[in-house]
Amino acid sequence: MKKILYKMRFVGIASAMIFLAASCSDILDEQPRSIYEPKFLQTKDGIYGGITSMYAHLRYIYGNAYYYNATQTGTDETTYAESADANFKDMDISDVSNLTAATSRSDALWGTAFSNINTANAVIEYADSLGIPDAVTAEALFFRAFDYFQLVQTFGGVPLDLGSGQFKFNTSTSRYSVRNTVPEVYTKAIFPDLVKAVANLPVTGRVTGGATKTLARLYLAKAYLTYGWWLENPNNIPTYPECPRTDPDGHDAKWYFQQAYDVAIAGITDPGSFGLQATYYDVNLGSNDRNNEILLYADHNEKSELYNGGSLTYGSGGAPDNFAGWMTTWNYTVIRSGVDAAWKANVSSVQREAVQALGRPWTRMCPTIDVVETTFADKTNDSRYDGTFTTVYRGNWKKGGVTNEVLYNANDKEVSMGDAILTFLNEEPATAITYPSGQGKSNIGAGTLPNRSDFVISPRGISRVVYPGLWKLGPYRTDNGTGLGQPNAGSTRPFNIAKFSELYFVAAEAAVKGATVQTGKSARDLINVIRARAGKWRWDNNGNVAKSADNSAAMTAATPATIDINYILAERSREYYGEGYRWLDLVRTQKWNELAGTYEICSKAYGDHTPATVTRKIQPYLYLRPIPQGQLDGMEMTKEEKAAYQNPGYE
């Protein structure tokens, strides 16, 4: 299958850059240009180039570790890890945090989104006069709505006028800005654009990975759902700019929940070429990337640095590389095994390798103990824990040049290549683990159980320095040969942004919020489609062995008779853990403080297996991120005007 290929975003102000133009083939072709002039967007080639750049701009947001951090750290899924700097600690909203306009990493969204919106404005403004088909213009409509939707959820009301009038292409530097209200952004920008996109986008994308009717339906349903919550405002969370929680079109929250349900159900019943993968494991399996469950992704390429958007051998940790997966990868290379039974010397038995279970360690973010014990409580029937985390670290020392056929590991037992060196247990064992004082033989403070050759850590022993890795975001490449590959490069996998499965969750949540449901499509019915799939196994990921099991009946029987919002959120976490959904989910439903106000984790000291409870200080004003300091500094406005532009609480 050909992949969608692109390199750099197309900005709406004059600058020297690489420009991308699209041909009529099913890939996006790259044409370098030394100078970009705004008038070029008033040509047919410019229109297609602008649309190509809209796909490229996704890589500056998705896969960017700082934006990823802003969507995950501080939630019930993720906290900061041992090597975290202020970028990550500030987002945790705990005693180590100081979230300000200068420190918030939601800035990664702000600049990229507005640049793309300006390009979309140009495409939409000039396309008609150039005879551009409605289906092509609909791609620009989708991306303008997409960016505004991400912005309004994150910052509240944002400007619709970028300097030349509402929805007009701005070709000059504008240093004054006025924010529109949340209802204005939804009713003037997001809803109209997405309604047109649904009407005009094709069932099958113009290019591989391109925008489709099903994708637009998902985002229209999500926008209706989110706006319905905003109108309802169950916990009296403040909005900004301040305005009444009323809809300009006269609809109430229930009307929007119904629209969300109806549009999501339409996406499910008329999916085009999209659908659910047979097993959860297959959804995130690297060799199965770009499968029919993925509606939108920020693409990368392992064969060309031009099309990948970054080096294929070394990643610097900057956009547009996909390096989000590094952030939750702990330094497993610290694990040691003995070269002989007496442990007269030891070596790194699990070396850095460019495979999905490993990758480049960065140790900036980690799961909480609550995730392992509570969110993924059922690890027997439900395949999603096994399909989310790396919990078994296997020996690969010979690939790194260590020639020993066997090494000595826990209980001084022999281990061979591919054997388990360290296992994070699924539950607390009946026999107590013998943990060392300090780092011990494993060098990471891991313990032993009788007759086992692998070192072990139980769920309550997870710390900020040693924890299960995030398998689903791990690197996958076909060019490693017999060695370790290129583990220091950014991931050449696409970063998945939207999945077909979310249509079921959106419809189910709308049903819980009071939407009238169709027969056989209640909240429980819809969630059980997802849970039934989660009960099907074809591969035991961490056991590294084929597994044929169908626990669908047990999974669906365990679903509560009455579904509530907390259950929806728990299921969403099991399905989308670590994919960048969580902060937006908790903010939309106003459950952030309730579900993430405390968490358990052991410290960052090797050998510490005593959990501590951490309390977060999640105040109502934090439900909006601060307008980035760079935006404020760049505006020619009075001090008072800038203060009024900023979200309250961040002065």
Side-chain angles (χ1 to χ4, degrees), residues 78-393:
T78 312
T79 182
Y80 67 92
E82 183 267 338
S83 297
D85 58 16
N87 287 303
F88 297 86
K89 290 180 178 179
D90 286 340
M91 305 309 294
D92 197 55
I93 318 299
S94 57
D95 287 339
V96 300
S97 305
N98 181 31
L99 186 64
T100 68
T103 65
S104 171
R105 294 325 310 261
S106 295
D107 62 346
L109 170 65
W110 181 274
T112 301
F114 277 117
S115 173
N116 190 65
I117 287 169
N118 198 37
T119 302
N121 286 344
V123 170
I124 295 162
E125 187 174 341
Y126 302 133
D128 231 16
S129 63
L130 294 168
I132 303 298
D134 288 346
V136 176
T137 308
E139 294 180 54
L141 288 164
F142 169 77
F143 279 114
R144 184 168 71 178
F146 174 90
D147 281 329
Y148 268 125
F149 184 45
Q150 303 310 106
L151 288 165
V152 77
Q153 292 177 90
T154 304
F155 301 104
V158 292
L160 301 179
D161 180 351
L162 305 188
S164 297
Q166 285 193 9
F167 308 120
K168 294 294 184 181
F169 178 45
N170 182 44
T171 60
S172 62
T173 301
S174 177
R175 294 190 177 276
Y176 190 88
S177 180
V178 175
R179 294 174 63 179
N180 291 86
T181 64
V182 168
E184 288 173 331
V185 176
Y186 275 106
T187 62
K188 291 184 177 183
I190 297 170
F191 296 147
D193 281 1
L194 287 175
V195 167
K196 291 177 185 176
V198 169
N200 293 323
L201 279 172
V203 172
T204 301
R206 177 177 61 90
V207 292
T208 302
T212 62
K213 190 179 298 292
T214 304
L215 172 65
R217 278 179 170 150
L218 171 61
Y219 276 89
L220 180 58
K222 288 177 69 170
Y224 282 144
L225 179 70
T226 305
Y227 186 54
W229 275 103
W230 184 90
L231 289 171
E232 187 180 70
N233 193 22
N235 293 330
N236 296 312
I237 300 297
T239 191
Y240 201 75
E242 293 178 353
C243 65
R245 297 257 181 172
T246 55
D247 177 44
D249 296 327
H251 303 303
D252 60 8
K254 185 175 181 180
W255 187 90
Y256 281 101
F257 292 137
Q258 188 66 56
Q259 296 303 304
Y261 178 86
D262 292 344
V263 172
I265 293 298
I268 293 168
T269 56
D270 183 21
S273 60
F274 299 105
L276 297 176
Q277 290 286 291
T279 70
Y280 183 78
Y281 170 74
D282 285 311
V283 179
N284 302 296
L285 177 64
S287 59
N288 195 41
D289 279 338
R290 307 173 189 87
N291 60 69
N292 75 325
E293 191 161 330
I294 312 304
L295 303 183
L296 183 67
Y297 47 81
D299 208 2
H300 291 270
N301 184 293
E302 72 170 25
K303 298 185 182 303
S304 166
E305 291 190 349
L306 182 68
Y307 293 139
N308 181 53
S311 171
L312 295 174
T313 58
Y314 184 81
S316 63
D321 275 353
N322 176 7
F323 58 106
W326 301 353
M327 302 302 110
T328 49
T329 303
W330 66 284
N331 194 6
Y332 56 84
T333 65
V334 175
I335 301 172
R336 292 293 183 267
S337 299
V339 298
D340 54 35
W343 286 71
K344 292 179 181 178
N346 59 61
V347 295
S348 173
S349 47
V350 186
Q351 302 199 13
R352 189 182 297 191
E353 185 176 1
V355 293
Q356 192 165 345
L358 299 175
R360 185 174 181 177
W362 213 252
T363 324
R364 298 298 196 272
M365 303 160 64
C366 65
T368 65
I369 290 173
D370 314 70
V371 165
V372 179
E373 287 192 325
T374 304
T375 304
F376 292 95
D378 182 356
K379 302 177 183 67
T380 301
N381 295 312
D382 194 333
S383 66
R384 289 177 291 190
Y385 182 74
D386 183 71
T388 297
F389 294 101
T390 297
T391 61
V392 179
Y393 288 80

Side-chain angles (χ1 to χ4, degrees), residues 632-646:
L632 299 175
D633 292 343
M635 296 192 301
E636 292 179 352
M637 296 163 61
T638 67
K639 181 179 180 181
E640 291 74 22
E641 286 174 322
K642 289 183 180 182
Y645 197 89
Q646 180 59 275

